[in-house]
Amino acid sequence: MSMKVGDIINGHVNEVLGRNESLSEQRLKICKTCPLYKEGPIGAICNPNLYINKDKEVSDKPKLGFTRGCGCRISAKTRVQNAHCIINL
């Protein structure tokens, strides 16, 4: 499921206002175990330079059965109730 502009905005608003903190904490525990989790200057992101499959195998090139990291700022995305991981972890 791809994020819609409204969901992205809501995620950032929720982050600034401290909403959905417990939901975010639960999801962050999962995200931090993912090979696409990447710390950056604006916070952790789902690395858009890598691809992953359901078995958590990673590639730096597109491959059949692999999905590209979404590039979302994880702190904001994990606060959106209907947001989902690209591989549904």
Side-chain angles (χ1 to χ4, degrees):
M1 163 186 278
S2 63
M3 296 271 297
K4 296 177 182 166
V5 174
D7 290 334
I8 295 168
I9 293 168
N10 286 337
H12 290 286
V13 168
N14 289 343
E15 181 181 24
V16 169
L17 298 177
R19 293 180 184 156
N20 296 340
E21 191 71 32
S22 62
L23 175 65
S24 179
E25 288 174 6
Q26 290 174 326
R27 290 176 168 183
L28 281 170
K29 286 179 187 176
I30 297 167
C31 293
K32 287 180 178 180
T33 69
C34 180
L36 269 56
Y37 181 89
K38 179 182 177 184
E39 288 287 344
I42 60 169
I45 63 167
C46 179
N47 193 339
N49 297 318
L50 296 175
Y51 300 79
I52 193 166
N53 69 8
K54 298 280 185 191
D55 297 323
K56 288 191 176 183
E57 297 171 328
V58 176
S59 174
D60 61 355
K61 296 178 179 74
K63 288 184 177 181
L64 185 63
F66 283 67
T67 302
R68 185 178 187 173
C70 65
C72 289
R73 285 190 57 256
I74 294 173
S75 180
K77 185 172 185 173
T78 57
R79 295 169 189 271
V80 178
Q81 185 69 38
N82 64 335
H84 297 280
C85 174
I86 58 168
I87 59 169
N88 294 317
L89 291 177

